[in-house]
């Protein structure tokens, strides 16, 4: 926007200069207008001739300049000046009048008049108007600058009060430092104790950190960067130390020399203690997991050797023709216990591997799920001759799965159904091909799974409330391992359980394994 002062030039802007003239003489008003026209000004002149119109004009609008005769009938120049200062205090006020004594002229200037021009010397009018408008523009700019500085200082003070950081302002040329009021609250050190130079700050840095901090700061100041930060221990007034994070912004001159650095210091003692404690706990957890993994590996390896020997010896004894019935019964019990122990070791190893984040590895290959299921059911029937296990199969059963792991899924679900169902009720196993997926359902009738347990049934070490026989007891990993193996194949497993409908576990498997089927499943 072009200023009013520039509008006095012959190439004035499109907006005319707005002038208010208090003049009762028509002739004098014409002479004044002619002087402005001769100067080539673009202006709009509003002339009033008595007090009432003058007061209404002041109250109504904005003017770039006010021109006034000193002697108007019924209204003297001093009253007009006072009214103008009250309504439009920033608008230049020029007297254009006849004879005016020096003492009165000085008095009017003291009261706020910008200048005065005698009517017989109107050639001074335009230069005086130009000077008055420049002075106003300069004054407005000065006030705007002062207001901006005041607001900036106010914001600075508010920020220092609002933040929990200590603000430090360091003038490098004079080595003077100003600290915010938060220094005592945050760092436990009175401002007076820090002094007014940087030495008061550096001597409180821990001796083991001081050289590093100083070297880093000097290097940053000598470079062209405008930011510096470090973390160090700072001594409080009571001799104790706090850990602080110190960040600074460097102001440089045109040649890049550092002139000033404004920084913020934050007490991060508790945050560092929390981080150290977190790292300690993580380290302990890692060591504990590694120990548990190693222990499980050692135990399972050491146990499997004797168990394999027991299984082999018991199987050979059962095949002897001369074995007595009571001996056969005892050997069969030994064989059953050894097989159950072997399953527990396998479950424990799978659980450990899954919980360590490695998941349970699967190796898909072409297999028929119908055949795998029938084989597992036949083994279950042989071990539970008193139970009725029914099988129904439909659709194409072929797909890419890990046969051993799928057998483990079916076995765990069938064993679970036998364990938690009434002895006189059947267990139904169904496999059916549905497009690109295979569905396995295992159903049993009996006491339903408790409502509070149902959402967590696949979590490790979760078991139903029904008390199983001593020979059937497990460590509660079967369903957890089922879920992990199903997930490893890219499938899903769900359960429904009601008093009327019984309990059904449903496994859905894609025929094509996931892209990373060889990778372990997430635990």
């Amino acid at each position: 926007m072009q200023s009013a002062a520039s509008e006095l030039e012959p190439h004035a802007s499109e907006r005319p200069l707005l002038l208010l003239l208090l003049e009762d003489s028509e002739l004098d008003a014409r002479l004044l207008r002619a002087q402005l026209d001769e100067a080539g000004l673009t202006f709009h002149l509003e002339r009033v001739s008595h007090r009432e119109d003058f007061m209404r004009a002041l109250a109504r609008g904005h003017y770039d300049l006010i021109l006034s005769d000193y002697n108007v009938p019924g209204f003297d120049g001093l009253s007009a000046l006072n009214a103008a200062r009250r309504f439009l205090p920033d608008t230049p006020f020029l007297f254009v009048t006849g004879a005016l004594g020096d003492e009165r002229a000085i008095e009017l200037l003291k009261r706020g008049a910008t200048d005065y021009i005698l009517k017989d010397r109107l050639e001074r009018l335009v230069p005086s108007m130009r000077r008055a408008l420049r002075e106003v523009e300069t004054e407005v700019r000065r006030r705007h600058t002062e207001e901006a500085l005041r607001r900036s200082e106010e914001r600075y003070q508010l920020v220092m009060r609002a933040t929990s950081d200590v603000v430090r302002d360091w003038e490098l040329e004079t080595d003077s430092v100003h600290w915010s009021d938060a220094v005592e609250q945050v760092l436990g050190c009175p401002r007076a104790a820090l002094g007014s130079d940087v030495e008061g700050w550096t001597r409180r840095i821990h001796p083991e950190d001081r050289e590093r901090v100083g070297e880093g700061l000097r290097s940053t100041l000598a470079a062209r960067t405008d930011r510096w930060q470090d973390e160090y221990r700072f001594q409080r007034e009571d001799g104790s130390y706090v850990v602080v994070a110190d960040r600074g912004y460097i102001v440089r001159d045109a040649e890049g020399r550092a002139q000033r650095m404004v920084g913020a210091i934050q007490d991060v003692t508790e945050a560092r203690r929390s981080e150290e404690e977190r790292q300690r706990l993580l380290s302990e957890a890692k060591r504990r997991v590694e120990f548990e993994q190693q222990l499980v590996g050692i135990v399972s390896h050491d146990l499997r050797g004797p168990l394999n020997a027991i299984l082999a010896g018991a199987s050979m004894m059962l095949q002897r023709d001369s074995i007595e019935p009571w001996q056969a019964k005892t050997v069969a019990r030994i064989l059953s216990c050894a097989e159950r122990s072997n399953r527990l070791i396998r479950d424990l190893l799978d659980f450990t591997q899954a919980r360590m984040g490695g998941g349970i590895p699967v190796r898909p290959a072409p297999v028929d799920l119908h055949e795998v299921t029938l084989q597992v059911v036949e083994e279950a029937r042989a071990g539970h001759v008193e139970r009725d296990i029914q099988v129904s199969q439909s659709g194409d059963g072929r797909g890419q799965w890990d046969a051993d792991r799928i057998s483990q899924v079916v076995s765990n679900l069938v064993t679970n159904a036998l364990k938690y169902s009434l002895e006189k009720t059947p267990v139904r196993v169904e496999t059916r091909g549905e497009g690109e997926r295979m569905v396995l359902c295992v159903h049993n009738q009996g006491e339903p799974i408790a409502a509070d347990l149902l959402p967590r049934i696949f979590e490790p070490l979760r078991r139903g409330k029904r008390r199983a026989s001593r020979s059937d007891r497990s460590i509660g990993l079967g369903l957890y391992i089922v879920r992990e193996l199903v997930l490893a194949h890219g499938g899903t497993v769900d359960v429904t359980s009601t008093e009327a409908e019984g309990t059904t576990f449903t496994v859905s498997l894609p025929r094509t394994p996931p892209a990373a089927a060889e990778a372990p499943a997430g635990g």
Side-chain angles (χ1 to χ4, degrees):
M1 177 184 293
Q2 198 165 11
S3 67
S6 64
E7 292 177 355
L8 283 171
E9 302 300 330
H11 49 79
S13 68
E14 294 182 2
R15 187 181 78 82
L17 196 63
L18 301 180
L19 305 177
L20 175 62
L21 173 62
L22 175 60
E23 176 61 70
D24 63 317
S25 170
E26 178 68 27
L27 177 60
D28 289 346
R30 288 180 180 179
L31 292 173
L32 186 147
R33 181 184 292 273
Q35 189 69 34
L36 298 178
D37 287 335
E38 184 178 344
L41 300 184
T42 301
F43 63 93
H44 173 75
L45 181 65
E46 180 180 351
R47 174 178 167 252
V48 293
S49 58
H50 49 79
R51 180 182 182 281
E52 289 74 13
D53 290 342
F54 182 71
M55 297 300 291
R56 279 194 292 270
L58 292 178
R60 182 175 61 247
H62 167 75
Y63 299 94
D64 295 308
L65 277 162
I66 300 174
L67 308 173
S68 174
D69 191 0
Y70 184 76
N71 294 306
V72 177
F75 195 39
D76 62 274
L78 182 58
S79 298
L81 174 62
N82 291 337
R85 293 280 73 83
R86 185 168 68 254
F87 283 94
L88 302 173
D90 296 327
T91 303
F93 190 103
L94 280 71
F95 279 107
V96 183
T97 186
L100 192 67
D102 291 341
E103 291 185 2
R104 181 163 297 178
I106 293 172
E107 177 66 20
L108 293 175
L109 293 175
K110 288 181 178 179
R111 294 291 187 93
T114 305
D115 202 353
Y116 69 94
I117 298 95
L118 299 179
K119 290 183 177 181
D120 58 356
R121 302 192 62 182
L122 285 180
E123 68 275 6
R124 290 186 58 246
L125 177 61
V126 172
S128 182
M129 291 170 61
R130 181 182 295 115
R131 183 174 60 254
L133 288 173
R134 279 200 300 266
E135 290 175 355
V136 168
E137 186 176 20
T138 301
E139 176 64 17
V140 169
R141 288 177 178 174
R142 182 189 65 79
R143 286 207 300 267
H144 285 172
T145 301
E146 290 179 351
E147 179 63 16
L149 289 173
R150 185 191 67 78
R151 289 183 175 274
S152 177
E153 177 64 21
E154 182 181 39
R155 283 193 296 269
Y156 174 71
Q157 293 296 333
L158 290 174
V159 168
M160 287 201 299
R161 293 175 185 175
T163 182
S164 58
D165 296 351
V166 176
V167 178
R168 177 189 61 235
D169 190 352
W170 178 19
E171 293 284 352
L172 278 75
E173 290 187 350
T174 60
D175 192 27
S176 60
V177 180
H178 175 265
W179 297 90
S180 67
D181 295 337
V183 64
E184 185 165 1
Q185 178 184 354
V186 176
L187 299 181
C189 181
R191 283 201 297 182
L194 290 172
S196 59
D197 56 23
V198 74
E199 177 63 24
W201 163 62
T202 56
R203 68 169 175 262
R204 287 184 175 269
I205 299 176
H206 194 285
E208 296 177 1
D209 301 336
R210 191 177 301 148
E211 183 176 354
R212 170 182 57 79
V213 174
E215 179 60 30
L217 181 57
R218 286 189 293 272
S219 298
T220 303
L221 292 174
R224 289 286 179 172
T225 182
D226 59 358
R227 296 188 184 277
W228 168 83
Q229 65 178 17
D230 206 337
E231 194 171 293
Y232 52 86
R233 288 164 289 180
F234 188 87
Q235 188 179 39
R236 297 164 59 91
E237 191 69 11
D238 60 8
S240 63
Y241 283 91
V242 293
V243 181
V244 299
D246 195 343
R247 299 172 297 277
Y249 177 78
I250 302 168
V251 180
R252 300 180 181 275
D253 60 16
E255 286 73 34
R257 292 186 295 268
Q259 301 291 309
R260 179 183 181 187
M261 187 176 82
V262 179
I265 302 177
Q266 183 181 25
D267 182 357
V268 296
T269 306
E270 290 303 319
R272 292 298 166 265
R273 286 175 182 168
S274 298
E275 178 61 21
E276 290 173 1
E277 179 66 12
R278 189 180 74 86
Q279 292 297 333
R280 184 186 68 80
L281 293 175
L282 285 175
S283 179
E284 287 183 359
K286 183 178 179 181
R287 288 195 301 268
R288 184 168 61 251
V289 166
E290 290 174 350
F291 170 76
E292 292 173 353
Q293 191 174 25
Q294 187 179 26
L295 179 63
V296 169
I298 292 173
V299 170
S300 64
H301 181 271
D302 291 345
L303 284 177
R304 274 184 164 173
L307 281 174
N308 288 334
I310 293 171
L311 286 168
S315 297
M316 290 176 61
M317 290 179 67
L318 282 175
Q319 294 173 6
R320 292 176 57 185
D321 296 334
S322 59
I323 189 170
E324 297 291 335
W326 67 269
Q327 291 176 330
K329 185 176 181 180
T330 302
V331 172
R333 186 177 300 162
I334 292 172
L335 187 61
S336 175
C337 290
E339 289 175 345
R340 185 164 61 88
S341 298
N342 211 22
R343 288 196 302 271
L344 292 176
I345 291 173
R346 183 194 62 186
D347 287 350
L348 187 58
L349 287 174
D350 287 343
F351 167 73
T352 303
Q353 190 167 19
R355 296 294 280 184
M356 297 305 170
I360 302 177
V362 295
R363 294 171 178 82
V367 65
D368 191 313
L369 187 61
H370 292 328
E371 295 179 1
V372 172
T373 303
L374 281 176
Q375 182 179 351
V376 173
V377 169
E378 288 303 320
E379 293 174 357
R381 284 170 175 167
H384 300 79
V385 293
E386 77 285 357
R387 297 300 303 270
D388 179 16
I389 306 177
Q390 303 172 356
V391 178
S392 65
Q393 298 181 327
S394 61
D396 185 2
R398 291 171 298 179
Q400 294 276 337
W401 304 293
D402 187 323
D404 290 337
R405 291 304 191 177
I406 293 299
S407 296
Q408 192 175 350
V409 169
V410 178
S411 178
N412 283 357
L413 291 177
V414 171
T415 300
N416 188 76
L418 291 168
K419 185 188 306 182
Y420 293 105
S421 63
L422 302 176
E423 293 183 359
K424 302 300 182 179
T425 60
V427 169
R428 293 195 297 272
V429 180
E430 180 186 7
T431 54
R432 60 180 185 269
E434 296 181 350
E436 295 301 316
R437 304 187 74 82
M438 278 294 295
V439 177
L440 164 68
C441 296
V442 179
H443 172 271
N444 68 272
Q445 194 67 44
E447 184 179 349
I449 301 172
D452 61 333
L453 179 61
L454 199 60
R456 298 173 286 122
I457 194 67
F458 294 104
E459 294 179 8
L461 308 179
R462 297 286 179 185
R463 290 182 293 199
K465 294 182 178 180
R466 181 175 174 270
R467 185 183 182 91
S469 65
R470 177 177 294 273
S471 62
D472 286 337
R473 288 183 190 171
S474 69
I475 54 177
L477 297 177
L479 294 180
Y480 171 76
I481 292 170
V482 165
R483 184 189 67 176
E484 292 297 313
L485 291 175
V486 171
L487 291 176
H489 284 86
T492 60
V493 57
D494 299 298
V495 59
T496 60
S497 185
T498 65
E499 184 75 34
E501 301 295 332
T503 300
T504 302
F505 285 87
T506 303
V507 174
S508 178
L509 296 170
R511 294 184 188 274
T512 303
E518 289 284 348

